[in-house]
Amino acid sequence: MIPPQIPPLIRPQRKNPILRTRQPLLPPWARSRAALGLTAAAALGRFELQSCGDCGAVQYPPREACHRCLSDQLRWREQSGLGDLISTTAVHHSHDLFFRERVPWRLGLVRLDAGPTVVAHLHGGCAPAPSRVRIGARLDKSGQGVLLAFPIDEVPNMADDRQLREMTCDPKFRKVLVTDGKTAVGQSVVRALIAAGADLVWVGYAEPWKKPPHFAELEALPQVTLLPLDLTDSRSVKQLGGEIGGKVDILINTAEVHRTYGIAARSGVEAARAEMDVNYFGLLRLAQEFGPAMRARGADGESSATAWVNLLSIYALSNYPAHGTYSASKAAALSLSQCLRAEMRPGGVRVINVFPGPIDDEWNQLLPPPKLTPAALAKAVVNALKDGVEDVYPGDVAQEWLARWEESPKTLERELSL
Ligand SMILES: [Zn+2]
């Protein structure tokens, strides 16, 4: 059977500046504490359901006790999501204001191979029922986990599906600010965004008298506009916020200062202060100048503000004493980003935190491999936007540290301090 065709996304029209900005509307966001487990997994890009530790039954919707044996031993487990699409429908009228502006909206009833039957949002590429589909969990505009049925195989214009795009932050046709284009990571991120179809990339650079290698090539790209931006200077951030704050759809904060050593190997606080000034206060300055304008544009039709990405570090989870003060500045930034996330959520703007392991740059020269290349990190950032996840841990080292941290933060602390 031929699946329905997904029309390719068309570049959004320029907005009439006289039209008022739409009020940010969110889909229903109330969840029980048990149901937040689905959201927590979706934030990492996983589809998990509770599975009974006593009888093995898979549960849906999330609950406190097993629907079959009433055991309270329910554990979240990753699911394949494979199942049969039994029936489909399209909603043409809704009392919910969010969906009323977005009808028609497709839904499907899916019987999972794992047992439960679920009602899910339906990707336009799914063949008519009965057919095989794969359920994935995504965060919706309110930041809560929801289920979306995908076709088993890739279809043309897969990412252009209107309903999927409501739940992700795909950079295609969007305007992006990358706060520091002078680093290898910043330049890789700019290139990856252009490859993913970004319309325009504003690239910030501090200290314009120091031009790094390959900067001229970046400048020559037609999508790129270079702009002076110094995150240690409140006036510089304010000025740029005034110029482009109301136009940025995606902000990617790649600016960071990274010095080696912990406490005893250095005297004074200058290096630590420089790290905090960019890694923590720089984020705070950006959030104050760009946050309100982006939050107000989170519902602004097809060309709405959609995501804020922070380049953190796996060292934010647990201090790595060889890079001790850097770790501390990233931990501070992580905490602030959680505040930012809570404040941006009512506007439907997603805050994405990226926790790479050691990056293959000059500050990690003394560390043995494996190290993450700037290109691999940039790819992870773009994929996080396309999938709309909240937290991403790119590379083997970050994945391993995350697993150890989830198992026991104390054990990881001891292992890192050897
Ligand atoms: Zn049970």
Side-chain angles (χ1 to χ4, degrees):
M1 199 177 295
I2 304 162
Q5 302 293 307
I6 302 166
L9 193 70
I10 299 163
R11 174 175 281 107
Q13 297 280 316
R14 277 184 75 89
K15 196 190 164 195
N16 180 349
I18 300 167
L19 288 180
R20 73 177 181 89
T21 295
R22 284 200 294 176
Q23 279 294 309
L25 292 173
L26 299 177
W29 62 85
R31 296 290 189 279
S32 68
R33 191 156 197 279
L36 284 176
L38 200 142
T39 294
L44 292 168
R46 299 179 194 152
F47 170 39
E48 293 183 355
L49 291 178
Q50 292 161 304
S51 162
C52 177
D54 288 327
C55 77
V58 175
Q59 322 282 321
Y60 186 85
R63 60 192 71 218
E64 307 289 341
C66 174
H67 71 271
R68 192 192 286 165
C69 74
L70 292 180
S71 162
D72 60 358
Q73 297 299 307
L74 301 181
R75 299 274 175 275
W76 289 92
R77 295 271 177 268
E78 188 149 19
Q79 305 289 319
S80 75
L82 292 170
D84 293 314
L85 181 63
I86 302 168
S87 67
T88 65
T89 187
V91 175
H92 288 274
H93 177 79
S94 173
H95 293 294
D96 183 90
L97 290 175
F98 176 85
F99 287 106
R100 198 161 75 184
E101 288 194 355
R102 286 159 177 83
V103 292
W105 195 268
R106 296 178 309 273
L107 298 171
L109 195 63
V110 177
R111 190 190 300 122
L112 291 169
D113 295 354
T117 299
V118 304
V119 178
H121 302 286
L122 192 64
H123 188 280
C126 292
S131 64
R132 292 288 286 169
V133 292
R134 179 176 47 81
I135 292 283
R138 290 290 182 279
L139 297 175
D140 68 6
K141 203 84 177 154
S142 71
Q144 293 289 13
V146 294
L147 303 182
L148 182 62
F150 290 90
I152 296 280
D153 299 312
E154 190 86 4
V155 296
N157 308 320
M158 185 98 178
D160 293 354
D161 179 66
R162 193 173 56 87
Q163 290 183 206
L164 177 63
R165 211 171 143 91
E166 284 284 351
M167 298 174 197
T168 61
C169 318
D170 197 315
K172 189 172 179 183
F173 295 146
R174 285 193 159 122
K175 297 185 282 296
V176 190
L177 168 63
V178 177
T179 60
D180 185 3
K182 290 177 85 172
T183 62
V185 168
Q187 296 188 10
S188 293
V189 167
V190 171
R191 287 175 195 282
L193 286 165
I194 292 171
D199 238 3
L200 185 75
V201 186
W202 290 290
V203 181
Y205 65 105
E207 302 179 329
W209 54 91
K210 281 195 279 188
K211 290 251 168 132
H214 310 302
F215 208 54
E217 294 164 34
L218 200 70
E219 201 170 357
L221 295 170
Q223 296 89 346
V224 166
T225 304
L226 294 182
L227 296 166
L229 175 61
D230 180 355
L231 293 199
T232 65
D233 178 355
S234 297
R235 209 159 40 170
S236 165
V237 181
K238 194 179 196 67
Q239 190 178 343
L240 193 64
E243 281 173 35
I244 63 167
K247 301 176 198 161
V248 174
D249 300 329
I250 298 173
L251 187 152
I252 302 184
N253 185 16
T254 53
E256 64 168 6
V257 170
H258 185 171
R259 299 289 177 265
T260 42
Y261 303 126
I263 298 166
R266 265 208 239 109
S267 66
V269 299
E270 290 316 309
R273 195 196 297 271
E275 287 169 336
M276 284 301 261
D277 207 14
V278 170
N279 302 354
Y280 173 75
F281 286 108
L283 172 59
L284 181 56
R285 291 182 184 102
L286 278 174
Q288 285 175 338
E289 301 303 337
F290 286 82
M294 285 182 71
R295 190 174 52 206
R297 284 186 50 250
D300 213 7
E302 280 178 317
S303 52
S304 64
T306 183
W308 180 300
V309 183
N310 295 309
L311 178 63
L312 300 178
S313 163
I314 195 69
Y315 307 159
L317 298 186
S318 187
N319 192 291
Y320 181 46
H323 296 243
T325 55
Y326 171 75
S327 302
S329 71
K330 290 293 183 174
L334 168 60
S335 184
L336 190 68
S337 75
Q338 291 168 334
C339 173
L340 180 66
R341 185 176 279 160
E343 293 188 10
M344 297 296 268
R345 193 176 293 130
V349 177
R350 188 152 306 161
V351 173
I352 300 173
N353 285 336
V354 186
F355 301 84
I359 300 165
D360 198 0
D361 65 13
E362 58 267 42
W363 300 107
N364 292 312
Q365 285 176 48
L366 299 178
L367 286 179
K371 285 183 270 193
L372 192 64
T373 64
L377 175 54
K379 192 165 175 233
V381 169
V382 168
N383 286 344
L385 288 166
K386 286 183 174 177
D387 293 336
V389 297
E390 278 190 349
D391 296 301
V392 56
Y393 300 82
D396 294 339
V397 176
Q399 285 291 325
E400 196 191 323
W401 284 31
L402 173 66
R404 286 198 260 167
W405 181 77
E406 282 175 340
E407 199 184 310
S408 165
K410 194 71 193 170
T411 311
L412 179 62
E413 182 194 324
R414 283 297 160 85
E415 286 173 323
L416 294 179
S417 63
L418 288 176

